[in-house]
Amino acid sequence: MKNLLKKFANKDRNTLSRLITLVENHDPASLKILTQLHKDTGQTHIIGITGPPGAGKSSLINQLIKHIVDHKMTVAVLATDPSSPYTGGSILGDRIRMQEQASHENVYVRSLSTRGSRGGLSRATFDALKILDAFGFDFVILETVGVGQTEVDVMHFADTVILVLVPESGDDIQTMKAGIMEIADIFVINKSDRPGADTMKRNLLELKSPYKELFIYLTQALQGKGIESLWTEILKRKKSQKIDTENESLQRREELSQIILSELEKKLHQEKTNPFRSVYKDVQKGALNPYEGAVRILKKMEKN
Ligand SMILES: Nc1nc2c(ncn2[C@@H]2O[C@H](COP(=O)(O)OP(=O)(O)O)[C@@H](O)[C@H]2O)c(=O)[nH]1
Ligand SMILES: [Mg+2]
């Protein structure tokens, strides 16, 4: 493992891919690796891109990659593949389209399979994001495939959540309202070359919460139009990414719970246990990183 971590620190892409495969397969070694890598995390800006299939998420990502590369920055794209064989074709399409960019040294593209449970994907995504963060990418773009609960779950890991809609998404908005709508920081109405984009924008403005500023951008991802102002907003958000201590302590608690829960799921199925309060407290304070905390709890459990 030491050797792997050394190669990783030397920015070896093959090692990066190997480590992501470990977490994708929920390999028992993941916990140890993440414990080591955690100190290097917290620098990257994670952009979550979600929205209905075919809305233009991948096309938009291609455009964002161009801007990132132009700015001499690095980016990793993490795409969660659907397990459904029916959408296999479109994923292949995604791969080919991204290939153009993927060969650039500042760009790394990786898809994550949805093998296993919903919680399983969420955990693997979470761990993969940590690995990409530790590797040192300026941006990590997370593309999901739909607007269901899994997407809402994983979007919580993003610093900026972009919901991609199209002019015809009016009806979808009603069904999506609970969940994705609330966590979106930026709305993109893509395919604005088609009629209805302005109506769609008005509909969105009607849903505006008084507590949150609403950012809406009209784009044509395929043609590369309207991306500039979206990119400017993203850059602004990356630069102003500041540490909110209260939120951080909540987030640490959340990370620890995630890790413990999935470890328990793996090891103990649904067995009940007590909450190990002192480790929780130390992690919330930031005195202990959540992976160390989880290991400590699991060791105690093994002794019992
Ligand atoms: N007319 C139009 N088509 C677009 C636009 N952006 C993407 N597309 C097309 O929409 C289809 C789905 O795009 P894709 O990026 O794969 O969507 P995803 O499933 O959300 O990732 C593709 O055929 C794209 O070429 C756009 O702005 N206008
Ligand atoms: Mg796509």
Side-chain angles (χ1 to χ4, degrees), residues 49 57-58 61 77-80 94 98 141-145:
I49 301 201
K57 297 178 292 296
S58 302
I61 291 170
V77 178
L78 187 66
T80 53
D94 281 356
M98 280 186 188
I141 302 179
L142 173 65
E143 179 186 3
T144 60
V145 281

Side-chain angles (χ1 to χ4, degrees), residues 84 96 112 135 150-151 154 190 192 202 212 230 254 302:
S84 159
I96 290 163
L112 216 54
F135 196 78
T150 309
E151 285 71 31
V154 302
N190 188 43
S192 61
R202 274 198 302 277
K212 204 173 171 183
L230 169 65
E254 188 53 39
E302 273 164 18

Side-chain angles (χ1 to χ4, degrees), residues 31-290:
L31 194 62
K32 271 187 192 151
I33 287 160
L34 288 158
T35 302
Q36 297 299 316
L37 296 184
H38 190 270
K39 63 181 189 312
D40 302 321
T41 62
Q43 299 304 312
T44 195
H45 190 83
I46 301 172
I47 305 172
I49 301 201
T50 187
K57 297 178 292 296
S58 302
S59 312
L60 192 70
I61 291 170
N62 263 322
Q63 296 294 339
L64 291 176
I65 290 173
K66 283 183 194 163
H67 281 87
I68 294 170
V69 169
D70 282 350
H71 278 73
K72 309 264 183 290
M73 292 193 275
T74 56
V75 59
V77 178
L78 187 66
T80 53
D81 281 0
S83 47
S84 159
Y86 300 108
T87 44
S90 81
I91 288 302
L92 197 63
D94 281 356
R95 280 261 175 87
I96 290 163
R97 239 171 300 143
M98 280 186 188
Q99 212 88 62
E100 195 189 321
Q101 307 288 349
S103 55
H104 195 284
E105 59 176 350
N106 289 21
V107 183
Y108 173 83
V109 177
R110 169 71 191 229
S111 58
L112 216 54
S113 89
T114 53
R115 270 194 300 273
S117 63
R118 164 189 142 194
L121 172 67
S122 166
R123 172 67 198 278
T125 306
F126 175 77
D127 289 344
L129 288 171
K130 289 279 180 192
I131 291 172
L132 293 166
D133 186 351
F135 196 78
F137 289 103
D138 296 310
F139 288 95
V140 177
I141 302 179
L142 173 65
E143 179 186 3
T144 60
V145 281
V147 286
Q149 188 54 48
T150 309
E151 285 71 31
V152 176
D153 289 350
V154 302
M155 282 300 143
H156 278 118
F157 308 144
D159 301 300
T160 295
V161 176
I162 301 177
L163 175 60
V164 182
L165 299 167
V166 291
E168 302 83 4
S169 297
D171 289 343
D172 292 343
I173 288 184
Q174 299 310 319
T175 49
M176 277 189 293
K177 246 167 99 178
I180 285 283
M181 296 291 288
E182 280 79 1
I183 60 167
D185 300 299
I186 294 174
F187 293 87
V188 166
I189 304 169
N190 188 43
K191 306 197 184 182
S192 61
D193 47 307
R194 302 204 305 219
D198 290 320
T199 313
M200 184 67 204
K201 184 173 176 176
R202 274 198 302 277
N203 289 343
L204 282 174
L205 285 168
E206 273 172 27
L207 299 171
K208 185 185 175 339
S209 137
Y211 308 107
K212 204 173 171 183
E213 199 177 342
L214 202 55
F215 292 92
I216 305 175
Y217 296 95
L218 270 57
T219 62
Q220 296 175 33
L222 193 58
Q223 299 86 341
K225 287 187 187 164
I227 314 293
E228 199 68 45
S229 45
L230 169 65
W231 166 245
T232 305
E233 177 57 27
I234 291 172
L235 257 190
K236 204 175 99 192
R237 291 180 63 93
K238 178 172 169 63
K239 282 177 186 155
S240 66
Q241 194 176 351
K242 57 177 186 294
I243 293 157
D244 165 355
T245 333
E246 199 181 326
N247 196 37
E248 279 278 293
S249 94
L250 280 175
Q251 216 169 316
R252 287 196 191 106
R253 192 195 157 88
E254 188 53 39
E255 287 185 7
L256 175 59
S257 295
Q258 281 252 6
I259 296 158
I260 292 173
L261 285 176
S262 58
E263 288 305 317
L264 287 180
E265 211 181 5
K266 271 188 260 174
K267 285 200 168 195
L268 307 169
H269 304 281
Q270 292 177 343
E271 209 157 306
K272 278 185 184 157
T273 181
N274 54 54
F276 298 98
R277 281 176 207 283
S278 68
V279 181
Y280 260 95
K281 270 192 187 148
D282 287 346
V283 171
Q284 265 182 285
K285 274 189 287 184
L288 191 68
N289 93 41

